[in-house]
Amino acid sequence: MTKRQDEILQIVKQSGPITGKEIAEKLSLTRAALRPDLAILTMSGNLDARPRVGYFYNQELEVKQHAEKFLHQKVSDFKAHPIVVEKSTSVYDAIVQLFLEDVGTLYAVDEDGNLAGVISRKDLLRTAIGNQNLNELPVSVIMTRMPNIVTIHPEETLLEAAKKMINNHIDSLPVVKEMEDDTYLLVGRITKTTITRAYLEIMEQKLD
């Protein structure tokens, strides 16, 4: 987009609906000089034009462009610190950890920090209802293991993360790096809340 086209967009955004003649006057140009720019901006969808009314700024296109740009951001830019426990941690201690950290999912790791399992709030609740000795039962007995864990890589997009969570009916994903020995190094987590918060922050920045 040229400097003149950007100036036209700003004028229409602030003063629309506005006629081509009025835009030309604001820029101290002739209507003929503006016609190519107005045609380009209209064909690209940035502006709408109505006979006898003038030009409108296409707000929907701007929002769509911002949304698309956001959804193609990398997971690595928004991932949060994972809340982890060791595989040998008792279910009781895991429940305490879950509430202290105020999260819905814990990640079990081995001694090298590799992802070993996922423990959800439902897993812990189901086990607690079973009246088992929670202090003696390790989370390794109740956790979900590979290959049943849905993961995301740092270089994948927020759109891909959102699709995985929706399609698998889960609220968060472990962010992992696949190692040469077929293990998965846990490097973060991404949640529905993280994606929603990041989207709102970016959209608010665009509106300021």
Side-chain angles (χ1 to χ4, degrees):
M1 186 179 299
T2 67
K3 181 180 178 181
R4 180 188 292 176
Q5 290 166 3
D6 185 59
E7 290 175 344
I8 294 171
L9 280 181
Q10 295 306 314
I11 290 172
V12 178
K13 189 174 183 180
Q14 295 171 8
S15 306
I18 184 171
T19 65
K21 179 181 178 181
E22 292 170 328
I23 297 172
E25 289 174 351
K26 287 180 177 291
L27 292 174
S28 300
L29 296 170
T30 64
R31 293 177 63 183
L34 278 186
R35 284 196 187 101
D37 293 313
L38 290 172
I40 291 172
L41 291 172
T42 302
M43 288 187 292
S44 65
N46 288 284
L47 295 181
D48 286 330
R50 296 181 186 175
R52 301 190 188 90
V53 178
Y55 292 91
F56 295 80
Y57 184 73
N58 191 344
Q59 188 71 38
E60 292 183 1
L61 177 64
E62 183 182 37
V63 171
K64 182 179 179 181
Q65 288 173 337
H66 292 161
E68 289 178 348
K69 181 179 179 181
F70 167 79
L71 289 173
H72 288 85
Q73 296 290 317
K74 300 297 184 183
V75 166
S76 58
D77 295 328
F78 294 91
K79 64 182 175 62
H81 183 71
I83 308 303
V84 303
V85 295
E86 296 181 356
K87 294 187 297 182
S88 58
T89 301
S90 71
V91 170
Y92 177 85
D93 288 338
I95 292 173
V96 172
Q97 182 82 347
L98 188 84
F99 281 96
L100 286 176
E101 299 288 350
D102 191 24
V103 294
T105 305
L106 298 174
Y107 301 109
V109 296
D110 61 21
E111 58 275 6
D112 297 318
N114 296 317
L115 181 65
V118 174
I119 309 108
S120 69
R121 184 185 287 111
K122 289 182 180 179
D123 294 329
L124 297 172
L125 178 60
R126 189 183 302 113
T127 304
I129 293 175
N131 296 318
Q132 302 184 55
N133 190 333
L134 303 183
N135 283 300
E136 295 183 3
L137 185 67
V139 294
S140 58
V141 175
I142 69 166
M143 69 186 186
T144 300
R145 300 172 179 268
M146 284 295 191
N148 297 316
I149 300 174
V150 183
T151 63
I152 193 83
H153 293 87
E155 65 274 11
E156 292 186 79
T157 66
L158 292 180
L159 177 59
E160 291 166 326
K163 286 181 177 180
K164 286 186 177 184
M165 283 188 272
I166 291 172
N167 292 337
N168 292 280
H169 307 286
I170 53 180
D171 295 327
S172 68
L173 294 168
V175 183
V176 299
K177 288 184 178 180
E178 193 166 353
M179 310 305 286
E180 293 182 356
D181 57 356
D182 293 328
T183 58
Y184 295 86
L185 180 66
L186 182 65
V187 297
R189 66 185 169 97
I190 195 85
T191 69
K192 287 181 179 178
T193 301
T194 303
I195 293 176
T196 302
R197 184 181 297 116
Y199 177 76
L200 288 175
E201 289 177 356
I202 287 182
M203 292 307 293
E204 287 174 353
Q205 291 173 4
K206 297 298 183 182
L207 294 174
D208 288 342

